[in-house]
Amino acid sequence: MQADDREFARPAQPPDTASLTEMREASGECTACHLYKRATQTVFGEGPKSAAIMLVGEQPGDYEDVAGKPFVGPAGKIMDQALEEAGIDRKEVYVTNAVKHFKWESRGKRRIHKKPNSREIAACRPWLEAELRIVKPKLVVAMGATAAQTIFGPSFRVTRERGKVLSSKLAPRVLATVHPSSLLRQPDEASREREYKHFVSDLRAALRAAEE
C-alpha cells in the first residue's frame, strides 16, 4: 500500500519489445507515478526508429498534453525553426521527454508547468531507456537541466558542459544544450536573439557529431 495515494512513484515497467508502436501503446497505460492521474494522456516520443539523433526534453506542456504529441507548443515551434536553420529535418529525428506526463498547477484557468522531481523522473526513466534501446541513436541531444541530469546524474550542469559531446551510461554520445522554452523566457529581444543563435549552433554541432 502507498503511504500517500496522491503522490507515489515506482519504476515504470516497459514491455520487452523492439516495436516502438507496442512501446507507445504500453506507455499509454502507465501508472508508475501519480502524474498520470492529472494528465490528459501519456505523451510518448515520436520519430523514426532509424533516427540518428534523439532530442530529449523535460516533460510535455499544456499543448502536448492535449495533443498527445511532443513539442507541438510554443517551445516546439521555436525548436522546429532552430532545427531547420541547423540543417536538421525534424521528420528524421526522434523527439521525446524525460517525463511522459504533464505536471502542472492551476493559475486561474491556466495550467502552469511544474518541474518534475527526482522521484517522478526516476519512475519514468525506464521509458527513456526503452526508447534509447529501440532507436539506438548515434547522438542524444539533452535539452535543459532535467533531461541532462536524467542522463548524467544530478550534479550535471548544462552551463558548464553545453555543446560538448560527452559519454554516459545511458547513451554513448550525448550533447547537452538549453531547453527551447528558455529562449521564450529571455528578458528582451537582444537576449532572445543571442540565445537562439547559440541554440542553433549547438544543434549544428549535434548534426556534425551524428554524421561522424
Side-chain angles (χ1 to χ4, degrees):
M1 287 289 289
Q2 252 70 262
D4 180 353
D5 189 48
R6 286 180 301 113
E7 292 222 357
F8 65 89
R10 54 184 178 266
Q13 295 184 306
D16 184 14
T17 177
S19 163
L20 274 176
T21 304
E22 286 176 23
M23 197 64 74
R24 183 176 291 108
E25 285 169 1
S27 76
E29 305 298 316
C30 187
T31 58
C33 82
H34 64 100
L35 295 183
Y36 84 94
K37 293 184 174 185
R38 297 186 73 212
T40 304
Q41 59 196 317
T42 305
V43 181
F44 201 67
E46 194 174 66
K49 191 174 174 178
S50 58
I53 297 174
M54 181 184 285
L55 301 169
V56 183
E58 180 186 85
Q59 66 167 359
D62 190 39
Y63 287 88
E64 291 78 11
D65 176 69
V66 173
K69 291 171 175 287
F71 286 92
V72 293
K77 286 185 174 63
I78 203 165
M79 183 189 80
D80 287 352
Q81 187 185 327
L83 285 170
E84 194 175 331
E85 275 194 48
I88 300 169
D89 185 346
R90 170 154 177 176
K91 294 188 196 75
E92 292 180 6
V93 297
Y94 188 89
V95 183
T96 192
N97 284 295
V99 172
K100 312 298 194 222
H101 283 118
F102 179 35
K103 183 178 183 180
W104 56 278
E105 58 189 359
S106 297
R107 197 169 298 166
K109 291 184 178 177
R110 294 172 65 208
R111 299 191 303 168
I112 303 298
H113 156 276
K114 196 174 179 189
K115 189 178 171 70
N117 64 38
S118 59
R119 290 174 67 244
E120 292 153 357
I121 292 163
C124 212
R125 184 178 156 123
W127 292 116
L128 179 60
E129 290 172 346
E131 288 172 301
L132 286 163
R133 174 174 58 77
I134 293 171
V135 179
K136 297 184 181 68
K138 289 182 178 172
L139 183 84
V140 173
V141 179
M143 300 187 296
T146 298
Q149 289 172 3
T150 300
I151 293 169
F152 291 109
S155 63
F156 187 86
R157 294 291 172 269
V158 174
T159 46
R160 285 205 299 263
E161 307 292 351
R162 181 176 183 175
K164 300 174 190 171
V165 178
L166 305 167
S167 182
S168 80
K169 287 178 185 171
L170 209 55
R173 305 182 83 222
V174 186
L175 182 145
T177 184
V178 295
H179 194 283
S181 64
S182 69
L183 307 175
L184 300 168
R185 295 194 299 269
Q186 292 302 313
D188 53 60
E189 194 59 44
S191 305
R192 198 157 33 245
E193 199 171 314
R194 184 185 65 245
E195 288 305 314
Y196 175 76
K197 283 179 179 171
H198 198 170
F199 182 54
V200 171
S201 173
D202 287 343
L203 292 176
R204 285 194 179 117
L207 178 59
R208 286 195 301 272
E211 288 175 341
E212 283 172 5

